[in-house]
Amino acid sequence: MRTLANRLRRLERRELDAFLRWIERTGNLLHLSVVVFVPVLIAVVTWLSNATAAVSFLLFPPLASGTYTLFADPEGRYSTPGTFVGGMTVGALCGWFALELVATTGVHGGAVSATSAALGVFFTGTATWALDLEEPTAFSTALLVLVIGNAQLAYVLGIVVSSSFVAAAFVVWRDRVYEARARYLYQTTKGDDHVLVPVHDGDAESIARFAATLAGAHEAGKVVLFDVVPEAAERSDGGSVDGGDGDRAGAEVLERGTDDAVRTVESLAADLEAEYDVPCEVVVAAGDRRSSGLVLRTARRNNCDLIVAPYAEHDRGGLSQFIKGLFDSEIDVIAFRSSDGHHRWRRGFVAVRGAGDTARAMIDFALRVTGSRRPTSVCTCIDRESHRRTAETTLANLVDAFSGPFETHVVTESVEAHLSRVAPRYDVVFVGSSTDRSAASRFVSPPTFQKLRDVETDVAIVHRGRRR
């Protein structure tokens, strides 16, 4: 029963994580808001209309379509409270005015006067154009007011009240949910505070400073510096130490090596705490420095949710087994390659393929590292000009969720060519690890980071952990 309960809890966590990743996408959030908030708002307005006979049911069609427009495209040209309320109200007033004008002339055209309909649409188009309230629902209210009998005033007042109620609810949703989605929904903005840094390679100081900058952006940030000493010590003449007195000598050599490593790492930790105002801890373990498993176990034991490790390749140019092992875990990883030994990063460049969680993580990391003093550049590359509009919308949805200055670029060229040309202008370039792509996709088009050896700037390869 305990095993079954544990499995059910793991399944529940996976499903919850899958849902959170799904709703992180702006399009999915908007669709969910449409199917949740629009019916609720229409139900409330319907209840109010049932409570008073003064509100006509004919206001619901334009109200429902206008409410959908607000929530489906909150950044669109029609999605402002003034345009929403004003457009619907002006349309109803124009239709009422056309109806009264035709009535004074004595012209009749059946149950609904064709002349009234034509004049109502004409007046609506002219008025909304002049007042900059062009909205499709205005024409609906202009026509529907023609068929409500003698209750035009009640119809107009009902539109004003009901549309104002919907507009107020929309403003609250947009400010508290949509505009704040990065804070509440995006997991990297709430996590990746405790950063583990393996410091046994040559660029340890630059990598540790990069990690300290990331951690220092959050109040709960912490850096754990992790070093490894070999399990088996060796004698000065090259022979291995084992057995009898050799065991004691080996233990002494190992202890001295551990003490030296601790002193070195503690000195670096003290510098980071003083310069970046972030808590630093030191962990030194005996084992294989190339073991990704040892790094992952240390990260889990120290409650770390991000690993910043030195980028490493094998001889054929692909990722080393160490980096692959780190990527094959539930912990977020940044494989960092230092070019110039930066200690501060002021200009950041983010190359994205889409609007997934990896792209959002890269933008969040770039903002943490560079701050908000200079615009962060976010770029996507397309194959054909016909993809430009979609790409621009994708970038707009990505950066709109974050606070800070941005500049976006849609470029019709390969990622590699564009990066090799513009990367020297920036202090750090963020790219995705491509681990979310299929094997066939990676075979046809190798990951971008495999072609970045000659890029003359720091490179951060971001991998989102596989939630289990």
Side-chain angles (χ1 to χ4, degrees), residues 318-340:
L319 287 176
S320 67
Q321 290 301 317
F322 174 74
I323 296 296
K324 287 182 178 179
L326 295 181
F327 282 178
D328 190 25
S329 73
E330 79 286 2
I331 301 176
D332 293 347
V333 179
I334 296 179
F336 185 74
R337 191 202 70 185
S338 177
S339 175
D340 298 323

Side-chain angles (χ1 to χ4, degrees), residues 338-404:
S338 177
S339 175
D340 298 323
H342 283 111
H343 289 179
R344 296 287 182 182
W345 297 264
R346 295 180 175 84
R347 296 168 297 174
F349 183 92
V350 182
V352 302
R353 288 191 300 115
D357 59 340
T358 300
R360 290 187 291 271
M362 290 191 291
I363 293 176
D364 177 53
F365 291 145
L367 289 176
R368 289 203 219 176
V369 169
T370 61
S372 58
R373 293 176 296 276
R374 297 187 181 184
T376 297
S377 296
V378 184
C379 173
T380 188
C381 294
I382 57 176
D383 299 326
R384 296 184 295 274
E385 277 297 319
S386 59
H387 297 162
R388 179 173 294 276
R389 187 180 297 265
T390 301
E392 289 175 346
T393 301
T394 298
L395 293 183
N397 288 336
L398 273 174
V399 303
D400 183 63
F402 297 89
S403 59

